[in-house]
Amino acid sequence: MADAMPRTSVEPLSTVRPPGTIQLRDFRPPDIPRVSEIVAEALREHYEPSLYTSLSQSWPGGFLVAVDGSGTPQGFLLGVAQVPREARVLMFAVDAAHRTSGIGTLLMNTFLERCRERGLDRVTLEVRVGNATAIRFYTRFGYSVTDLLRGYYSDGENGYQMARPV
Ligand SMILES: CC(C)(COP(=O)(O)OP(=O)(O)OC[C@H]1O[C@@H](n2cnc3c(N)ncnc32)[C@H](O)[C@@H]1OP(=O)(O)O)[C@@H](O)C(=O)NCCC(=O)NCCS
């Protein structure tokens, strides 16, 4: 009986849907300028453009981009699978004007599906201890803190490592 089955995978916010014009697709190199813009604003980081291409190569399906009706990226999630059976979210951000409309949820749910398809067991990520919005988001998604990373960020802020089973 379905009601008696243990709930093995509960995704939060499953009823939250971003505007119908938002579509997810794999990253493409022409996305780099817009992705860099989102990274600069949302994550306050600047990376060499070639970093995005090289990180996408080992697992193209782990780098998801949310594009609007005109094809412009408004959010992305860059995950890598460099440790056996484990994924790591390296970057995750949505354009400020497009937040709280479900794009982050769509990106994370789709990324977790991709992890399942790849047969991975666990996802890890790092987050600034002061980033309450992201910590709340990840906690709703079943991530929990596994480590305190002292002085992890270039400006000296501590980080949390968080993880969840796939
Ligand atoms: C973290 C982040 C990616 C989330 O993206 P998002 O698109 O805003 O995510 P969602 O819209 O799916 O959900 C965000 C919140 O809005 C709420 N929400 C979503 N759709 C909503 C709607 N239509 N109406 C009201 N609230 C809504 C969700 O309930 C969720 O609440 P929670 O955070 O308390 O769980 C985004 O805040 C971001 O880019 N932050 C800056 C960069 C950053 O910190 N990245 C993480 C670094 S580790």
Side-chain angles (χ1 to χ4, degrees), residues 4 7 13 16-17 21 39 46 52 54-55 62 68 71 82 93 95 101 109-110 116 119 126-127 130 136-137 142 160:
R7 301 178 76 191
L13 307 173
V16 173
R17 292 275 179 269
T21 52
V39 168
H46 299 269
Y52 298 102
S54 59
L55 287 172
D68 65 15
Q82 293 166 338
D95 170 65
S101 66
N109 277 329
T110 307
R116 274 177 220 118
E126 290 80 28
V127 60
R136 189 178 58 236
F137 180 97
Y160 287 130

Side-chain angles (χ1 to χ4, degrees), residues 33-114:
R34 178 62 184 142
V35 165
S36 300
E37 224 171 68
I38 296 171
V39 168
E41 182 275 324
L43 303 174
R44 288 172 281 141
E45 300 285 0
H46 299 269
Y47 300 111
E48 284 295 318
S50 58
L51 179 82
Y52 298 102
T53 318
S54 59
L55 287 172
S56 74
Q57 274 162 0
S58 69
W59 181 20
F63 193 165
L64 294 162
V65 176
V67 295
D68 65 15
S70 70
T72 306
Q74 300 298 358
F76 74 98
L77 189 158
L78 196 184
V80 294
Q82 293 166 338
V83 171
R85 307 197 68 86
E86 220 174 87
R88 180 174 169 211
V89 177
L90 284 187
M91 292 180 224
F92 176 40
V94 172
D95 170 65
H98 290 79
R99 287 182 201 152
T100 69
S101 66
I103 297 175
T105 297
L106 179 66
L107 283 163
M108 184 58 78
N109 277 329
T110 307
F111 179 70
L112 290 167
E113 266 170 44
R114 298 266 171 108

Side-chain angles (χ1 to χ4, degrees), residues 112-130:
L112 290 167
E113 266 170 44
R114 298 266 171 108
C115 290
R116 274 177 220 118
E117 285 163 14
R118 202 178 158 96
L120 304 178
D121 295 332
R122 187 169 180 261
V123 184
T124 66
L125 56 85
E126 290 80 28
V127 60
R128 289 175 181 268
V129 296

